[in-house]
Amino acid sequence: MKNHLLSRRTFLNQSVSGLGSIALTSLLAQKGLLANDPIRPLIDPSRPYAPRAPHFEPRAKNVLMIFCSGAISHVDTFDYKPELVKRHGMPLPGAADLITFQGAQGNLVKPLWEFKPRGQSGKMISDLVPKIAEFADDMCFIHSMTAKSNTHGPAENQMSTGFILDGFPGIGSWVTYALGSECDDMPAFVAIPDPRGVPQIGSRHWNSAFLPAMFQGTAFNASKPIPNLLRPTSVSESADRGTRDLVNLLNRRQAVEHPADSDLAARISSYELAARMQIAASEVGNMAGESKATLDLYGVNDSNENKAGFAKNCLLARRLIERGVRFVQLFNGSYAMGEGVGNWDGHKTIEKQYSVHGPILDQPVAGLLKDLKARGLLQDTLVAFVTEFGRMPTFQKGANGRDHNPKGFTVWLAGAGVKKGFSYGATDEFGYQAAERVSTIYDLHATILHLLGIDHERLSYYNNGIERRLTDVHGHLIKDVLA
């Protein structure tokens, strides 16, 4: 019978070879000479929110993402097309039989609000957002953005999670998974839904999906603070404190007896964060200390309740950024109110609808930008203004609104690490489809991660047999927008 056992000499020879390989791998890793294999951050289960080192020196410490739900029209806001004005009322060349999301198209329709040059850069921006336009010299426009779906739900999914399908983590969850938080008494990732309600896919924007649950976003807004933070009135302060001390003692004993139980450590950490939040979350939502000038800047006391509510959310976003919250996702627009009623989905009567939505968005966001800039927060904060796709340069046949258009639209960045008063890429002469330096949402996500010091190809999580990334197997850094 053949002996399959190793001899002592063979075992020692192969062991030495293996140890040499391990040593070489370690040395190459230290020198940065290994291929960019996926990297899963090392997370201490007892301190899952502790700050973690990025892959390289970051330009931004945190992100504020402003998401316009319903797909705001680029050709009526930031993407000026003189040819669209010139050919108003004419058919879109080469598209006589074009069918988009809701049906056939009518003729080209010029912007419904006048475009004017803004700032020293002379950037053309429309009167729909005149106060935001005052910050043209601080903005970096990407005019060639494209999406993979012309349907709100999947397109919202892609902008926030990188995938058109459900079941993937939001970008804020990826960021906090990678970097943790420098704020130890607030969630690392906060989502602020519009006071009118949530966007179409709701909490999937800030869901952690297959990432550990502690990286899920916490949703609250200025009118609806985080629930269940205060102890019941029937429980005394001493009883509450005694109960927490006892639970903490039992947890610690269990942790000593079962040091490998990472789920227990994570739960302990979550409860400790919740205890600290009892004070911090109440403070961050209390705007009584803000000056009248600041409240007026945002429009907090405006007679328009929806505008005032959104203004309070914008002020809340600044207060969160100020306290070091890593990722804040601020939503403008609600799905539940119906098509175009409480969001930017202007199919039928876009001029009437946008005349309502424009003022709700404009002053509060402009106030937020001015406040961030005045406090020096833009030096470390990246602001990303996004939407799920654009809208057509035509009106829908038989209607007075624009249909969905994922072929080309505008997003803009401002703040840490990006060029000021700069435009990247372009749609065609009518604003119909990206024609120059075509960009994808994968590229946008790769660029946001890069500004935070993260290589999008080296951030992964192993799930269901696949090494998952925010950018899937796509995405390129948009180098030209970097300052």
Side-chain angles (χ1 to χ4, degrees):
M1 181 181 294
K2 190 174 182 179
N3 187 358
H4 293 284
L5 295 176
L6 291 176
S7 68
R8 184 172 62 178
R9 185 187 298 267
T10 303
F11 170 76
L12 290 173
N13 283 337
Q14 292 186 2
S15 297
V16 170
S17 176
L19 290 171
S21 298
I22 292 171
L24 177 61
T25 300
S26 177
L27 181 62
L28 290 174
Q30 291 176 11
K31 299 291 185 181
L33 298 176
L34 282 179
N36 288 341
D37 292 329
I39 291 178
R40 299 175 213 130
L42 296 175
I43 299 172
D44 179 354
S46 66
R47 300 178 63 239
Y49 310 107
R52 290 180 278 279
H55 296 146
F56 46 82
E57 189 68 25
R59 301 293 300 275
K61 291 182 179 179
N62 42 29
V63 174
L64 168 61
M65 177 176 280
I66 304 170
F67 195 117
C68 284
S69 177
I72 190 170
S73 171
H74 59 296
V75 294
D76 291 300
T77 50
F78 304 111
D79 197 5
Y80 178 57
K81 296 297 176 183
E83 196 66 19
L84 184 57
V85 177
K86 180 180 177 182
R87 300 207 197 184
H88 173 73
M90 300 180 184
L92 177 63
D97 299 321
L98 180 65
I99 302 294
T100 57
F101 181 72
Q102 284 198 352
Q105 298 302 297
N107 292 329
L108 294 166
V109 174
K110 66 182 181 181
L112 303 176
W113 288 266
E114 183 181 357
F115 275 74
K116 296 176 183 176
R118 315 286 177 164
Q120 294 297 316
S121 62
K123 178 66 179 178
M124 298 292 284
I125 300 177
S126 89
D127 280 339
L128 179 61
V129 286
K131 294 185 180 297
I132 292 176
E134 295 174 7
F135 294 88
D137 291 343
D138 294 291
M139 295 174 179
C140 179
F141 296 90
I142 301 175
H143 289 302
S144 54
M145 189 54 56
T146 58
K148 292 181 68 175
S149 175
N150 69 349
T151 306
H152 290 292
E156 283 188 16
N157 268 339
Q158 192 191 9
M159 183 55 78
S160 280
T161 75
F163 293 79
I164 60 174
L165 299 176
D166 294 345
F168 292 88
I171 181 174
S173 293
W174 278 108
V175 168
T176 53
Y177 162 68
L179 299 177
S181 175
E182 296 184 357
C183 177
D184 65 357
D185 56 7
M186 287 294 295
F189 173 23
V190 173
I192 310 177
D194 190 284
R196 294 167 286 184
V198 297
Q200 181 159 329
I201 67 168
S203 62
R204 294 200 294 278
H205 281 282
W206 55 89
N207 193 0
S208 60
F210 49 73
L211 291 179
M214 70 273 292
F215 302 117
Q216 179 166 305
T218 299
F220 66 100
N221 60 36
S223 60
K224 296 180 180 179
I226 300 176
N228 305 319
L229 283 179
L230 301 179
R231 59 181 170 79
T233 55
S234 59
V235 178
S236 69
E237 182 178 353
S238 60
D240 183 41
R241 184 170 55 252
T243 301
R244 282 192 277 115
D245 290 343
L246 175 60
V247 171
N248 185 56
L249 174 63
L250 296 175
N251 282 339
R252 294 301 171 190
R253 285 182 177 177
Q254 185 78 357
V256 170
E257 293 175 7
H258 304 278
D261 189 349
S262 61
D263 288 343
L264 174 61
R267 284 197 298 273
I268 294 172
S269 179
S270 296
Y271 280 117
E272 289 176 343
L273 173 61
R276 294 191 296 270
M277 282 173 56
Q278 284 188 314
I279 297 174
S282 298
E283 289 178 349
V284 77
N286 184 0
M287 300 176 187
E290 298 287 349
S291 68
K292 182 179 183 301
T294 297
L295 300 178
D296 291 343
L297 173 67
Y298 284 82
V300 166
N301 295 317
D302 198 275
S303 59
N304 181 333
E305 291 185 6
N306 287 327
K307 178 181 174 182
F310 180 65
K312 291 176 184 176
N313 282 354
C314 288
L315 181 52
L316 174 63
R318 187 221 81 200
R319 292 171 66 86
L320 291 167
I321 292 292
E322 199 170 33
R323 283 158 175 77
V325 173
R326 181 74 72 183
F327 201 101
V328 178
Q329 196 169 19
L330 173 68
F331 292 91
N332 177 259
S334 164
Y335 173 70
M337 298 177 73
E339 180 183 284
V341 177
N343 57 41
W344 295 94
D345 196 20
H347 286 280
K348 301 298 189 296
T349 56
I350 191 170
E351 185 170 14
K352 177 181 177 182
Q353 292 167 332
Y354 276 27
S355 294
V356 172
H357 305 323
I360 294 173
L361 173 76
D362 188 40
Q363 181 184 348
V365 168
L368 175 55
L369 291 172
K370 185 172 183 178
D371 205 10
L372 290 171
K373 190 174 179 181
R375 294 170 186 267
L377 295 171
L378 275 183
Q379 296 176 9
D380 295 319
T381 302
L382 174 68
V383 179
F385 183 95
V386 304
T387 192
E388 61 260 44
F389 42 67
R391 308 204 78 87
M392 291 293 296
T394 57
F395 268 9
Q396 294 176 217
K397 195 169 184 178
N400 291 301
R402 305 185 190 276
D403 208 350
H404 302 177
N405 180 16
K407 293 180 179 292
F409 61 104
T410 296
V411 301
W412 55 257
L413 306 173
V418 297
K419 292 178 179 176
K420 298 181 179 181
F422 182 75
S423 294
Y424 176 89
T427 51
D428 61 28
E429 57 187 347
F430 305 107
Y432 170 46
Q433 56 188 352
E436 299 176 16
R437 297 178 172 182
V438 179
S439 304
T440 68
I441 293 172
Y442 302 117
D443 301 334
L444 176 65
H445 287 169
T447 303
I448 291 173
L449 292 182
H450 176 87
L451 288 165
L452 289 165
I454 304 169
D455 181 344
H456 74 105
E457 294 183 344
R458 298 173 60 202
L459 176 65
S460 72
Y461 189 86
Y462 189 73
N463 178 64
N464 200 25
I466 300 174
E467 203 72 59
R468 288 294 189 186
R469 290 179 3 205
L470 170 65
T471 53
D472 196 17
V473 294
H474 311 285
H476 299 281
L477 172 64
I478 309 176
K479 295 181 180 179
D480 288 346
V481 306
L482 304 182

